[in-house]
Amino acid sequence: MAAETIIRTPEQQWTSLDPPPPGWDAPMPGDKQWWMTILFVWSGLLLVVTFSWFFVGKQNVPTLKREVTPASIQQEVEAFVAKYETEPGSGIVEVPPGEDAYLVGEMWNFSSVLKLKAGHEYTIWYSSVDVVHNPIIAEQRYTFTAIPGYAYGIRITPTTPGEYLVYCSEYCGLGHQDMATKIIVEP
Ligand code: CUA
C-alpha cells in the first residue's frame, strides 16, 4: 500500500505526531553533501584550534591565582611602592628585573606607574581593593578582570620599549573615566 500523502494548507502545521512526509529519507543531493562535509570539517578544525590554543598560545593570562583580602593586597602594594618608587610620592615604580610588580585597582586609580626593562620577565599581580576593575593594555590587546579577594599573576616579558596606557574598562563609578596608569618599557 502506498504511503499516505497528506496535503495540508499553510494553516495546518505539521506536528511531530504526524507521519513524516513521503520521500523524507531520500539521500541528500550531492552538492548538499559536499557543503555538509565542508561544514563538519571546518567546525571540527575550529574546535581543535580553539582548545589547543589554550595550551600552546602565548596569550594565556593569567597563569597564577591566589586568594587575598583587600587589606593584605593593599599592604603588599604599599610595601612594593615604598621599596621601588623612583622618588618618594612620585607614584613611578622602577621594578627590578625578575621582581614581582603590582597593578592594583582602587576607585579610581591604579597603584602606580610601572617602569619595566625590555627583555626581562616580570610577574605582574593585579587585583582590586574595592569593586571590579578591568585594567586593559589596549595596544597589546591585553585585558584583565581585577576582582577583590583574588590576585592574578601574569608573566610577561616586554619586548618593545615605549609607554603603554593602561586604563579601566569596567564601569566602576563616577571617576571611572579617569582611571588610568602607564607601563613604561625601557630599552
Ligand atoms: Cu575602575 Cu572603571
Side-chain angles (χ1 to χ4, degrees), residues 18-156:
D18 293 322
W24 67 274
D25 56 347
M28 207 183 270
D31 56 341
K32 251 187 200 162
Q33 282 184 21
W34 266 110
W35 280 115
M36 288 304 283
T37 310
I38 291 168
L39 213 115
F40 273 106
V41 169
W42 183 245
S43 56
L45 200 78
L46 287 181
L47 204 71
V48 169
V49 167
T50 304
F51 284 98
S52 55
W53 206 243
F54 184 76
F55 297 101
V56 300
K58 286 182 180 171
Q59 82 293 358
N60 300 314
V61 290
T63 50
L64 306 162
K65 176 184 144 187
R66 61 192 165 97
E67 281 188 43
V68 294
T69 64
S72 74
I73 196 74
Q74 186 86 289
Q75 265 181 3
E76 282 183 53
V77 169
E78 278 168 15
F80 162 74
V81 172
K83 201 168 168 189
Y84 299 121
E85 208 168 23
T86 50
E87 276 170 46
S90 68
I92 302 170
V93 177
E94 196 157 3
V95 193
E99 193 63 47
D100 283 9
Y102 291 84
L103 192 76
V104 171
E106 179 177 9
M107 287 191 273
W108 288 282
N109 52 55
F110 290 103
S111 45
S112 60
V113 171
L114 297 176
K115 249 189 188 180
L116 310 176
K117 275 243 176 294
H120 295 275
E121 192 189 55
Y122 295 88
T123 300
I124 300 179
W125 290 99
Y126 64 96
S127 183
S128 164
V129 299
D130 38 43
V131 298
V132 173
H133 299 283
N134 201 92
I136 176 168
I137 310 173
E139 274 176 87
Q140 298 295 313
R141 297 192 186 86
Y142 271 160
T143 163
F144 320 108
T145 304
I147 302 165
Y150 292 93
Y152 296 95
I154 44 165
R155 288 210 176 93
I156 60 165

Side-chain angles (χ1 to χ4, degrees), residues 108 110 132-134 168-173 176 179:
W108 288 282
F110 290 103
V132 173
H133 299 283
N134 201 92
C168 181
S169 66
E170 174 79 37
Y171 182 71
C172 55
H176 160 74
M179 189 168 170

